[in-house]
Amino acid sequence: MQRRAVLALALGLLAGPAFAQSATDPVETVRAFYAADDINAVRFYAKSLRALYERDQREAKGEVGRLGFAFHVNGQDTEPGFAKSLALASLSNEGDRAEVRATFRNGGPQELRYNLVREAGAWRIANVRSLKGETWDLVAILSAPLP
């Protein structure tokens, strides 16, 4: 719990006053997702990703399902200084689709790509992919058969 408070504080300092999902800036939505520091924060997920995530939770019946790690940090835990190393950048923002790059250090250099869609007037996370170290695609993980 203390780790979350420190992470939220550090990310809050990075985020400034804009600390919520944004209708205009997908980077702020990803920043707010990191500040929540909880992959269960499905309010940030697009309908399709939320459906996959909730199905995984139901089918796992309280056990570890398809997703056995905190995808937003690409691991189980975060190393000291993680929040200070987090950098977010918009790679594209066209119409109702956007892509945001997240780079940080956690057990080594990490790079995640967030694909976002605009739903109900706000940006929502539709997929996340890891591009450094062990590569993965969140939608593919959640779409696979239960182990």
Side-chain angles (χ1 to χ4, degrees):
M1 190 61 106
Q2 184 179 19
R3 178 183 70 87
R4 282 191 179 172
V6 170
L7 181 61
L9 176 63
L11 288 172
L13 295 174
L14 294 173
F19 209 47
Q21 278 179 278
S22 173
T24 58
D25 190 351
V27 172
E28 290 309 315
T29 294
V30 175
R31 189 178 319 281
F33 178 66
Y34 273 96
D37 193 26
D38 184 2
I39 64 171
N40 294 308
V42 296
R43 67 185 179 277
F44 293 100
Y45 296 176
K47 289 178 189 174
S48 58
L49 182 59
R50 180 184 294 195
L52 288 170
Y53 184 79
E54 289 174 348
R55 179 191 73 157
D56 183 51
Q57 297 294 300
R58 263 190 328 275
E59 291 178 359
K61 298 178 182 168
E63 300 295 324
V64 175
R66 295 166 181 87
L67 190 60
F69 64 103
F71 67 84
H72 68 304
V73 297
N74 203 11
Q76 295 291 336
D77 295 308
T78 55
E79 67 181 44
F82 159 79
K84 290 179 184 176
S85 72
L86 178 64
L88 302 174
S90 177
L91 298 179
S92 67
N93 184 348
E94 298 177 13
D96 289 338
R97 299 196 175 280
E99 185 173 30
V100 174
R101 178 180 58 219
T103 56
F104 53 90
R105 289 202 53 83
N106 194 34
Q110 304 291 330
E111 181 176 342
L112 302 182
R113 296 285 174 92
Y114 285 80
N115 296 104
L116 294 96
V117 296
R118 196 184 324 254
E119 287 181 352
W123 287 105
R124 309 257 190 244
I125 299 166
N127 195 13
V128 184
R129 295 172 291 126
S130 171
L131 301 179
K132 286 206 174 184
E134 186 175 340
T135 60
W136 47 261
D137 179 292
L138 184 58
V139 167
I141 290 170
L142 293 173
S143 298
L146 195 61

